[in-house]
Amino acid sequence: MKSYISIVFVSILVSSFTCKKENKPMIHQIEKISTEINRDSIVDYAKNYLGTPYLYAGNDPKKGFDCSGFVSYVFKNFNLNLPRSSSGYKNLGTALNPEDFKVGDILVFYGYKDRTVVGHLGIICEANGMQSKFIHASSGKVNSVTITSLATEHYTNRFYKCIDVISK
């Protein structure tokens, strides 16, 4: 057992140095599932939590959600594990063109002040390009899970990308 642990440790150590030597940016990919997930089912499930209070770092419907806690909670119900932090979405997936947005895709937004940091997420519930509506845990005036239009200036100005985490 001891030698097995040593081999694993050495393998991890070598992998770490290899990645650093290449000095290439790492783009994280998720393994998209090919099982039949009905996109409308994702949205229907998410809508069960409308009005759930916003809670920083929250991922429990009994206590509250933050944006990434809400997104990860919803998709976990469909056996898809996604990053728990909004920053984990910066290099996740491939950006879609607005005409390719679909119900169940994830909208990724920059933070309020820093346009290099991902600061917010939502799930498209009505797909219509940059006029789409999305469900998200908002810390704004509503301070709860709500549905908002992407077409509002607040979100259009912060829009980073939209990704599909369902289709292959």
Side-chain angles (χ1 to χ4, degrees), residues 111-122:
Y112 294 108
K113 297 176 183 174
D114 187 347
R115 293 193 51 93
T116 63
V117 175
V118 170
H120 194 61
L121 307 170

Side-chain angles (χ1 to χ4, degrees), residues 19-164:
C19 291
K20 287 181 182 175
K21 279 184 179 179
E22 291 177 12
N23 202 18
K24 293 180 183 175
M26 294 184 66
I27 295 180
H28 305 282
Q29 295 292 329
I30 55 165
E31 184 177 326
K32 295 181 182 177
I33 55 178
S34 60
T35 56
E36 303 272 333
I37 292 181
N38 181 308
R39 290 173 173 275
D40 291 325
S41 295
I42 292 170
V43 172
D44 290 343
Y45 183 75
K47 285 181 177 178
N48 288 322
Y49 301 101
L50 283 168
T52 301
Y54 178 86
L55 177 66
Y56 179 78
N59 63 350
D60 180 349
K62 293 177 184 167
K63 296 177 182 176
F65 291 113
D66 68 3
C67 65
S68 58
F70 176 66
V71 170
S72 65
Y73 184 87
V74 168
F75 280 93
K76 189 172 188 174
N77 184 67
F78 295 90
N79 298 314
L80 186 56
N81 292 316
L82 295 174
R84 176 55 192 87
S85 171
S86 59
S87 63
Y89 290 78
K90 179 145 190 185
N91 297 317
L92 185 68
T94 303
L96 301 172
N97 293 320
E99 61 270 17
D100 297 325
F101 293 2
K102 296 176 292 304
V103 167
D105 288 343
I106 298 175
L107 294 171
V108 182
F109 300 93
Y110 289 113
Y112 294 108
K113 297 176 183 174
D114 187 347
R115 293 193 51 93
T116 63
V117 175
V118 170
H120 194 61
L121 307 170
I123 303 168
I124 293 182
C125 57
E126 292 179 30
N128 186 17
M130 293 303 286
Q131 304 295 313
S132 296
K133 290 186 179 178
F134 64 102
I135 186 167
H136 61 122
S138 173
S139 62
K141 293 177 189 173
V142 179
N143 208 37
S144 66
V145 174
T146 188
I147 295 174
T148 305
S149 173
L150 176 57
T152 62
E153 186 177 350
H154 178 74
Y155 288 104
T156 301
N157 289 340
R158 294 173 52 209
F159 177 75
Y160 173 53
K161 66 180 176 177
C162 178
I163 57 173
D164 179 356

